[in-house]
């Protein structure tokens, strides 16, 4: 058979590879602890499951949905954005339902980029930013995120030639994988940069609700002028433990969303109305569950931090996301350390290199594992380091 040349250099997705290794070990009877993928261990709360059951039973929800999204979902998202971020969203023109943020991030590349174009992608960054751009035929310029600049890209370091050629800039704060947050005028600088060079900004806002120590994450769209240049993707996966449900939405610049809409009408038939109405219900209901989850993750962060520090690792205290981005012990590459920990301790962690070249030297640990398993994992890692 003959396949698309686009597949030639396409490696399996970062976590697909980890999934294969975990399955292999478990099949061999090994008790593997995963601190790899960010997939919440605590189930979706009952009030959400029950609402979905009600919506599924309603025959009015069983036909094709609209690709823009159900009006109830759009209205609930607009009112959430006003209440939470102080951002005005026109539910008819500035909202679109997504089958999870990942789907939107990948597809928007096909709406924005042509072969030979340039995408500016944070490094390290969520793999879909580079993956989607490359699949669309675009070149990728990595913008290094370094600890000394708070893991924010240095826009002044982008060459004039690259800035002029670039059509999109991906960013995401609170940041996956580094856990960094925005505490200064970074978003305003992004807007100025995007306006100067006519670049569309794609802000991945999957983690704004999972923050700690009193930090409250802003929306990129709250920055004056942001809606002129960009869109933002919100996801239910992490705040509501709904990774398997695939629900999220995009808000912001109408022209960008109209292009994404046109593309998606040719690729999918929208999101199940029962899920859209449940998503609306979630946004309109009290958010106690999310606050509880913040408490759970802050506790796990402290547990992991204390234990790893005591074995000599340098662990920065994150204020957002569910990930800890940790320098590997001396003498290891990021891949080598993950391999060592998997083979010697049966613990899965993610190599920083998988998020881009500047991720070398780091590993990412996810907090989506019960406390006792986190403690056990650290114990095993400590023992493996003595080998
Ligand atoms: C992660 O672990 O970074 C992601 O949330 C999983 C994914 O969407 O690929």
């Amino acid at each position: 058979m003959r396949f698309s040349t686009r597949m030639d250099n396409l490696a399996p997705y970062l976590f697909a590879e980890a999934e294969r290794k975990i399955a292999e070990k478990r099949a061999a009877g090994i008790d593997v602890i995963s601190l790899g993928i960010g997939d919440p261990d605590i189930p979706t709360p009952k009030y959400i499951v029950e609402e979905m059951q009600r919506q599924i039973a309603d025959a009015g929800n069983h036909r094709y949905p609209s690709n823009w999204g159900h009006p109830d979902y759009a209205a609930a998202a607009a009112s959430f954005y006003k209440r939470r971020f102080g951002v005005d969203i026109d539910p008819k023109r500035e909202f679109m339902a997504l089958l999870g943020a990942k789907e939107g991030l990948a597809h928007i590349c096909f709406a924005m980029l042509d072969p030979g174009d340039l995408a500016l992608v944070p490094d390290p960054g969520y793999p879909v930013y580079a993956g989607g751009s490359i699949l669309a035929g675009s070149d990728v310029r990595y913008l290094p995120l370094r600890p000394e600049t708070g893991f924010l890209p240095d826009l002044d370091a982008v060459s004039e030639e690259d800035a002029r050629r670039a059509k999109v800039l991906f960013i995401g704060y609170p940041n996956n994988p580094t856990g960094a947050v925005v505490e200064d005028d970074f978003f305003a600088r992004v807007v100025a940069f995007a306006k100067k060079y006519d670049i569309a900004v794609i802000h991945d806002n999957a983690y704004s609700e999972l923050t700690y120590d009193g930090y409250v994450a802003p929306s990129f769209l709250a920055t004056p002028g942001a809606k002129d240049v960009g869109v933002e993707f919100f996801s239910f996966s992490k705040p509501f433990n709904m990774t398997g449900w695939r629900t999220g939405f995009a808000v912001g610049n109408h022209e960008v969303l109209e292009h994404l809409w046109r593309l998606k009408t040719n690729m999918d038939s929208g999101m199940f109305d029962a899920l859209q109405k449940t998503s609306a219900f979630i946004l309109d209901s009290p958010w106690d569950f999310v606050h509880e989850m913040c408490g759970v993750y802050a506790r796990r962060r402290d547990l992991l931090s204390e234990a790893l520090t005591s074995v000599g690792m340098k662990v920065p205290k994150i204020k957002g996301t569910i990930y800890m981005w940790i320098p590997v012990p001396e003498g290891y590459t990021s891949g080598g350390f993950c391999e060592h920990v998997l083979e010697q301790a049966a613990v899965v962690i993610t190599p920083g290199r998988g998020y881009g070249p500047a991720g070398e030297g780091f590993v990412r640990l996810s907090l989506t594992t019960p406390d006792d398993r986190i403690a056990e994992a650290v114990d095993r890692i400590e023992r493996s380091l003595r080998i």
Side-chain angles (χ1 to χ4, degrees), residues 65-69 96-98 261 264-271:
S66 130
N67 272 88
W68 277 110
M96 187 163 31
L98 295 175
W261 167 80
K264 273 168 61 65
T265 55
N266 284 285
M267 299 184 103
D268 65 59
S269 297
M271 187 203 289

Side-chain angles (χ1 to χ4, degrees), residues 13 15 36-38 102 126 176 207 238 323 355 364:
Y13 187 60
F15 295 107
I37 193 164
K102 180 177 180 179
Y126 183 49
N176 176 15
Y207 297 93
K238 309 300 158 54
Y323 307 116
Y355 296 91
R364 195 195 76 169

Side-chain angles (χ1 to χ4, degrees), residues 46-92:
K46 204 160 160 249
Y47 77 96
I48 295 178
V49 174
E50 286 174 352
E51 177 64 14
M52 184 66 172
Q53 285 166 336
R54 272 192 291 276
Q55 295 295 348
I56 286 181
D58 180 349
N61 292 332
H62 294 180
R63 306 187 74 194
Y64 281 129
S66 130
N67 272 88
W68 277 110
H70 194 282
D72 291 359
Y73 190 14
S79 113
F80 162 59
Y81 256 65
K82 184 69 183 168
R83 191 169 71 239
R84 165 67 178 85
F85 299 115
V87 172
D88 288 309
I89 297 293
D90 177 346
K92 290 206 174 76

Side-chain angles (χ1 to χ4, degrees), residues 199-335:
I199 294 173
V201 178
I202 317 293
H203 183 241
D204 179 0
N205 194 29
Y207 297 93
S208 61
E209 305 316 297
L210 294 172
T211 58
Y212 320 111
D213 306 335
Y215 175 76
V216 179
S219 159
F220 169 66
L221 296 180
T223 311
K227 233 196 269 175
D228 300 337
V229 294
V231 290
E232 183 159 275
F233 290 71
F234 185 83
S235 168
F236 288 69
S237 291
K238 309 300 158 54
F240 295 100
N241 297 4
M242 294 176 71
T243 47
W245 296 57
R246 310 318 302 148
T247 173
F249 60 80
V251 281
N253 187 280
H254 172 72
E255 215 185 335
V256 173
L257 293 184
E258 194 278 333
H259 281 74
L260 182 57
W261 167 80
R262 204 147 21 103
L263 179 92
K264 273 168 61 65
T265 55
N266 284 285
M267 299 184 103
D268 65 59
S269 297
M271 187 203 289
F272 187 18
D273 270 341
L275 182 51
Q276 296 202 52
K277 288 195 191 165
T278 302
S279 302
F281 164 84
I282 296 168
L283 293 174
D284 288 338
S285 301
W287 282 48
D288 303 351
F289 179 77
V290 182
H291 303 142
E292 269 169 48
M293 286 313 303
C294 289
V296 168
Y297 291 131
R299 188 180 70 232
R300 291 178 182 175
R301 170 199 66 175
D302 293 343
L303 176 77
L304 198 52
S305 185
E306 204 176 300
L308 290 173
T309 306
S310 74
V311 300
M313 292 180 74
K314 286 193 205 108
V315 187
K317 197 165 190 190
I318 51 158
K319 285 193 193 163
T321 78
I322 48 178
Y323 307 116
M324 303 189 55
W325 185 246
I326 300 174
V328 294
E330 245 182 75
Y332 288 97
T333 60
S334 69

